[in-house]
């Protein structure tokens, strides 16, 4: 029998044809999520596998929000949160293994400071548990040209977790793999950008929140393990297209007037260098995806003008400490700075 009483926390897992992932990872979520304060919700994006049957048969305590279509990651969560009334929501990927007490430190920190809108735990690789996980590690940042990096992961270099990032710290973005957010704040700021469909939508939303004066933090006392790349292959041209297009849209939406022209000029060259690298390494479809991403960005740009104006109008924090005012590519390849500590030093 499901308890329909509103809990303080809703752990919302977005699923699309992920029956095997649900069977593997949902048991840890159920085991380590205290039912007295939290509900577990699976929002199903129109799956055509046996996900719904498995949920009903094997996980009867889980609340199901069924959709008849695949809304994608961004709009899928927006639609799901229309059904959520809890004070806090956790956006949790279906390929995340949680651990004992994983919610305790997160809720304690957000309860203690209303200026904190979002938080994430420390995220390690589920397949190589001594190392950080690519998508979130110990909290995310951006360089001036929109390149994301983390405490524990800079470009393709992933560090072993040796406690070097065990301090709670302010970050620019919390990973969508496990994002703890104030539900009403999520709704007030407009949620995730549905146009993004998937990839970097949480970075965009977090940047928006930070501009409006909210804080975001990584709380490493909470630990989860993420598989990563479970729904889209790392070398997928579609993933390349979404990453490049969405990153350009994010820059256009959030950069101040005194930065945007310079940044977009430099990105022109950086993007085509990336496309050339794809081509020379035998990935012509990925090279074309970069070109297509830039083409679609320019076709969408005018429709984002009003959104950009709104973001700039609502910006409170003019200078964001977590936005590195240097080129990550330059620091990494020319100066040999391969870790977060080296970058900030």
């Amino acid at each position: 029998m499901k308890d329909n009483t509103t809990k303080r926390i809703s752990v919302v897992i977005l699923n699309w044809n992920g029956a095997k992932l649900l069977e593997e990872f949902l048991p840890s979520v159920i085991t380590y999520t205290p039912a007295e304060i939290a509900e577990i919700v699976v929002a199903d994006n129109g799956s055509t596998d046996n996900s719904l049957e498995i949920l009903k048969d094997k996980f009867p305590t889980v609340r199901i929000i069924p959709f008849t279509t695949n809304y994608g990651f961004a709009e899928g969560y927006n639609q799901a949160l229309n059904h959520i009334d809890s004070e806090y929501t956790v956006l949790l990927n279906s390929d995340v293994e949680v651990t004992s007490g994983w919610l305790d430190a997160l809720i304690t920190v957000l309860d203690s400071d209303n200026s904190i809108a979002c938080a994430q735990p420390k995220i390690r690789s589920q397949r190589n548990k001594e190392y950080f996980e690519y998508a979130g590690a110990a909290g995310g940042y951006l360089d001036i040209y929109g390149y994301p990096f983390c405490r524990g992961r800079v470009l393709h270099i992933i560090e072993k977790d040796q406690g070097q990032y065990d301090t709670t710290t302010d970050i620019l973005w919390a990973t969508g793999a496990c994002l703890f957010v104030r539900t009403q704040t999520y709704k007030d700021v407009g949620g995730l950008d549905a146009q993004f469909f998937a990839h970097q939508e949480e970075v965009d939303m977090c940047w928006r929140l930070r501009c409006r004066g909210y804080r975001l933090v990584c709380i490493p006392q909470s630990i989860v393990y993420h598989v990563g790349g479970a729904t889209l292959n790392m070398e997928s041209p579609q993933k390349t297209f979404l990453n490049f297009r969405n990153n350009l849209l994010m820059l256009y939406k959030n950069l101040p007037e005194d930065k945007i022209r310079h940044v977009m000029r430099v990105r022109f060259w950086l993007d085509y260098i990336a496309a050339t690298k794809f081509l020379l390494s035998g990935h012509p479809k990925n090279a074309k995806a970069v070109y297509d991403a830039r083409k679609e960005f320019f076709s969408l740009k005018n429709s984002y003008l009003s959104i950009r104006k709104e973001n700039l109008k609502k910006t409170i924090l003019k200078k964001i400490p977590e936005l590195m005012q240097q080129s990550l590519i330059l620091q990494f390849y020319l100066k040999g700075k391969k870790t977060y500590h080296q970058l900030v030093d």
Side-chain angles (χ1 to χ4, degrees):
M1 187 73 180
K2 295 179 184 179
D3 182 359
N4 292 322
T5 305
T6 300
K7 306 292 181 67
R8 288 202 72 199
I9 305 171
S10 292
V11 179
V12 183
I13 299 168
L14 194 64
N15 174 68
W16 180 68
N17 290 341
K20 292 182 179 179
L21 294 174
L22 292 173
E23 286 188 290
E24 182 176 358
F25 296 106
L26 199 47
S28 75
V29 182
I30 293 172
T31 298
Y32 296 121
T33 301
E36 62 272 16
I37 62 166
E39 66 168 347
I40 300 169
V41 181
V42 172
D44 186 77
N45 250 338
S47 292
T48 55
D49 66 357
N50 60 336
S51 292
L52 294 179
E53 290 80 4
I54 284 175
L55 287 168
K56 292 172 183 176
D57 293 344
K58 295 187 177 182
F59 308 108
T61 61
V62 172
R63 176 183 165 198
I64 303 172
I65 302 175
F67 302 137
T68 57
T69 187
N70 181 7
Y71 286 108
F73 186 92
E75 184 61 13
Y77 270 119
N78 291 342
Q79 292 289 332
L81 265 73
N82 287 334
H83 301 268
I84 300 299
D85 297 315
S86 304
E87 180 181 1
Y88 298 122
T89 297
V90 183
L91 311 187
L92 187 70
N93 277 15
S94 59
D95 58 347
V96 172
E97 174 190 345
V98 305
T99 60
S100 178
W102 72 290
L103 290 176
D104 295 346
L106 295 167
I107 195 170
T108 297
V109 170
L110 266 78
D111 277 350
S112 69
D113 191 337
N114 289 332
S115 71
I116 299 174
C118 293
Q120 72 157 76
K122 177 164 66 175
I123 303 184
R124 291 183 187 157
S125 170
Q126 205 277 335
R127 300 305 194 222
N128 194 0
K129 290 189 171 182
E130 292 184 345
Y131 284 80
F132 288 105
E133 198 277 315
Y134 182 93
Y141 304 86
L142 290 172
D143 82 340
I144 188 60
Y145 302 114
Y147 285 81
F149 62 99
C150 305
R151 291 197 306 171
R153 192 274 296 176
V154 175
L155 295 182
H156 60 276
I157 301 297
I158 301 172
E159 296 179 58
K160 185 176 183 179
D161 181 11
Q162 298 176 313
Q164 66 270 45
Y165 303 119
D166 275 357
T167 54
T168 296
T169 192
D170 285 74
I171 57 178
L172 181 54
W173 56 270
T175 175
C178 185
L179 191 153
F180 193 107
V181 61
R182 296 182 190 275
T183 307
Q184 192 56 51
T185 303
Y186 177 100
K187 295 176 181 180
D188 290 344
V189 81
L192 302 172
D193 188 332
Q195 183 70 53
F196 280 35
F197 190 77
H199 296 293
Q200 300 198 38
E201 62 289 304
E202 80 273 36
V203 184
D204 168 62
M205 183 184 74
C206 289
W207 191 355
R208 200 182 326 145
L209 286 165
R210 190 72 181 105
C211 286
R212 297 181 189 186
Y214 291 100
R215 291 174 58 210
L216 303 98
V217 296
C218 175
I219 305 166
Q221 290 73 30
S222 171
I223 300 173
V224 303
Y225 298 93
H226 182 213
V227 175
T231 56
L232 203 57
N233 186 280
M234 284 294 287
E235 293 185 353
S236 161
Q238 182 190 4
K239 183 171 183 176
T240 299
F241 169 81
L242 290 171
N243 269 317
F244 276 81
R245 184 200 65 177
N246 292 352
N247 191 267
L248 290 168
L249 287 171
M250 177 180 69
L251 288 169
Y252 181 69
K253 289 171 67 176
N254 297 295
L255 278 173
E257 286 293 343
D258 62 340
K259 299 288 186 183
I260 190 165
R261 289 184 180 179
H262 166 73
V263 168
M264 288 304 187
R265 282 197 297 267
V266 174
R267 275 299 300 266
F268 171 86
W269 295 106
L270 290 174
D271 288 353
Y272 281 109
I273 289 170
T276 302
K277 186 177 178 182
F278 277 128
L279 193 62
L280 294 176
S281 61
H283 296 94
K285 291 182 179 180
N286 292 75
K288 185 177 184 299
V290 176
Y291 171 79
D292 290 341
R294 291 190 58 85
K295 183 179 179 181
E296 180 147 329
F297 162 67
F298 283 105
S299 73
L300 292 171
K301 185 178 175 182
N302 285 341
S303 66
Y304 270 89
L305 180 58
S306 61
I307 298 173
R308 171 173 169 76
K309 288 181 177 178
E310 180 188 13
N311 286 345
L312 295 181
K313 183 179 179 181
K314 293 182 177 179
T315 293
I316 295 172
L317 193 63
K318 300 298 183 181
K319 185 175 182 181
I320 299 175
E322 300 82 20
L323 183 63
M324 185 174 75
Q325 298 298 312
Q326 302 174 57
S327 167
L328 180 66
I329 302 300
L330 178 65
Q331 297 296 314
F332 185 91
Y333 286 108
L334 296 186
K335 298 189 177 181
K337 297 185 177 182
K338 311 292 188 184
T339 69
Y340 173 82
H341 277 320
Q342 291 173 345
L343 285 173
V344 297
D345 286 344

